[in-house]
Amino acid sequence: MTGLERLCSDPSLLPRPGRLGLLTHPAGVTRDLTPSAVALLRAGVRLERLYGPEHGIDGSGQAGEAPEVATDRQTGLPTHSLYHKQIPEIAELIAQVDTLLVDLQDVGARFYTYVSTLVQVLEAARQTGTRVVVLDRPNPLGSVVEGPVLEPRFRSFVGALEVPLRHGLTLGECARLVNPQAHVIPCDPLEPFGYGGLPWVPPSPNLPDLETARLYVGTCLVEGSAASEGRGTALPFRLVGAPGLDAVALARRLNGLELGPLRFRPAYFTPALSKHAGQHCAGVQIHVLEPLARALPVGIALVGALAEQGLELNPDWLQKLLGVPFEPELFVPEKAQERCQAWELAARRYAQERLSGAWLYPRG
């Protein structure tokens, strides 16, 4: 059960809500795919307005976009985008409600921006006195931590909290890191996605399925290179390349590494948008053969192999994504597994020492 479903089944969990708003997106649904705003209204929770994060309240925006929609099509409620807004602007918008419900499906990676929007909302709510209530949802990547812990100097909108890259937290637990007294209506954190579990609705346009979300922890690092990460194709974050690359050599290089149960196939494609839109690209498609426990080594090795073919890297963006200083040595393909194992050991210790106070659910 999600926090949304728990509140719908028992609206008394939200006493004296006053004027009510909801921050949500298309992945905010019940298991029968009823949008959260519709489900809450049917349950007698009287919403007055809706708010949306990156990609917009209707999910139609690409990366870095949040189309303004004046009125929600299903409920007729007024809507407001919180993306690309500074905290004073967010404070002005949420001051229109006494209680703001948050029902967002996060994916468990620090650079995914819904946590950043939540952090901004919590800061704005301190200024306005608005009560924020997180309707919690399972982390599709579970409670495993992976990658380096963000260094404060690299804090940005793709790194709002000092947590490991794969943070192992639910959105409600992230809220408790910011405010230990944050109001969270809990979920069943172990409920799976897919058959017999929760439906997977893409939380953003380029995470169409759970396998892509698992790879995203690593392959998102391709954003820090001149290569296309597959945006504008049918296989975002599973198809990587650029004009002029040697696809056969790239696949051979990556397949020669011990990166887990996956294979790299030479691939050729033309993105419809984003990097290299309309240009013929050569690269690789990543084929996952069995459930992949760790994806970060894949991303580290992939970026390194792209650089070996002369592709330019963007140190500033890689620093923001990883949360640690850029060093070319971080991306030596042969050392990817070793590097990521060291980060993970440190991240586990950090989680026990610094994050466990925010945990709402038992860890194995």
Side-chain angles (χ1 to χ4, degrees):
M1 182 176 283
T2 65
L4 168 66
E5 291 170 329
R6 188 162 273 120
L7 179 58
C8 286
S9 66
D10 184 6
S12 69
L13 292 171
L14 193 66
R16 300 181 300 281
R19 298 170 300 166
L20 259 175
L22 172 67
L23 168 58
T24 192
H25 60 161
V29 294
T30 61
R31 69 191 60 240
D32 68 356
L33 296 172
T34 303
S36 54
V38 174
L40 288 165
L41 288 168
R42 287 176 181 171
V45 179
R46 306 310 302 173
L47 299 171
E48 293 190 12
R49 58 189 65 245
L50 305 179
Y51 302 86
E54 184 180 7
H55 310 294
I57 189 79
D58 63 359
S60 65
Q62 286 292 326
E65 299 177 351
E68 293 280 358
V69 177
T71 305
D72 177 58
R73 295 175 181 88
Q74 298 205 58
T75 63
L77 293 172
T79 70
H80 314 276
S81 173
L82 300 185
Y83 186 60
H84 279 323
K85 301 281 196 308
Q86 298 302 311
I87 288 175
E89 298 173 279
I90 294 173
E92 184 177 349
L93 288 170
I94 69 171
Q96 299 176 81
V97 297
D98 301 303
T99 301
L100 178 63
L101 304 175
V102 178
D103 185 35
L104 297 171
Q105 180 62 64
D106 189 46
V107 301
R110 185 183 62 224
F111 37 61
Y112 205 62
T113 63
Y114 298 152
V115 168
S116 302
T117 292
L118 175 66
V119 171
Q120 288 185 320
V121 162
L122 289 168
E123 175 58 33
R126 274 196 285 264
Q127 300 178 14
T128 63
T130 304
R131 178 172 57 157
V132 176
V133 179
V134 177
L135 307 181
D136 216 3
R137 289 181 172 272
N139 181 334
L141 303 183
S143 60
V144 172
V145 293
E146 190 178 357
V149 175
L150 177 83
E151 294 185 15
R153 58 181 161 150
F154 297 115
R155 189 185 299 275
S156 71
F157 199 67
V158 292
L161 294 178
E162 293 172 37
V163 294
L165 190 155
R166 177 180 172 182
H167 51 67
L169 304 167
T170 66
L171 201 68
E173 291 173 327
C174 289
R176 282 166 52 85
L177 279 179
V178 179
N179 176 7
Q181 283 74 50
H183 187 170
V184 179
I185 296 181
C187 64
D188 175 358
L190 301 180
E191 187 157 19
F193 291 85
Y195 297 120
L198 297 172
W200 181 265
V201 175
S204 57
N206 291 294
L207 292 181
D209 51 44
L210 192 54
E211 181 177 300
T212 305
R214 289 173 177 145
L215 276 175
Y216 172 77
V217 170
T219 55
C220 183
L221 296 180
V222 177
E223 287 186 0
S225 78
S228 165
E229 60 277 359
R231 284 192 167 95
T233 76
L235 296 168
F237 298 108
R238 288 191 281 172
L239 199 57
V240 171
L245 289 182
D246 186 334
V248 174
L250 182 62
R252 184 185 306 118
R253 177 78 169 104
L254 292 164
N255 284 327
L257 304 169
E258 297 295 325
L259 296 173
L262 72 171
R263 296 289 293 172
F264 297 85
R265 180 183 65 84
Y268 305 88
F269 59 97
T270 302
L273 52 83
S274 194
K275 282 188 276 184
H276 307 303
Q279 299 182 63
H280 184 264
C281 293
V284 293
Q285 180 183 345
I286 304 168
H287 293 262
V288 179
L289 308 179
E290 298 174 16
L292 190 64
R294 306 288 188 277
L296 186 56
V298 178
I300 293 289
L302 183 52
V303 169
L306 291 168
E308 288 175 347
Q309 288 211 18
L311 216 61
E312 184 179 358
L313 301 185
N314 181 338
D316 180 62
W317 193 242
L318 286 168
Q319 287 181 155
K320 288 179 177 177
L321 292 176
L322 278 175
V324 295
F326 172 83
E327 299 173 8
E329 294 76 18
L330 291 178
F331 299 96
V332 175
E334 286 82 4
K335 296 183 178 180
Q337 290 281 25
E338 179 184 353
R339 175 81 61 185
C340 291
Q341 286 169 2
W343 276 334
E344 184 170 334
L345 287 173
R348 288 180 192 169
R349 290 193 296 269
Y350 182 87
Q352 286 287 345
E353 295 169 5
R354 303 288 296 276
L355 306 182
S356 58
W359 290 349
L360 286 164
Y361 314 103
R363 263 53 178 183

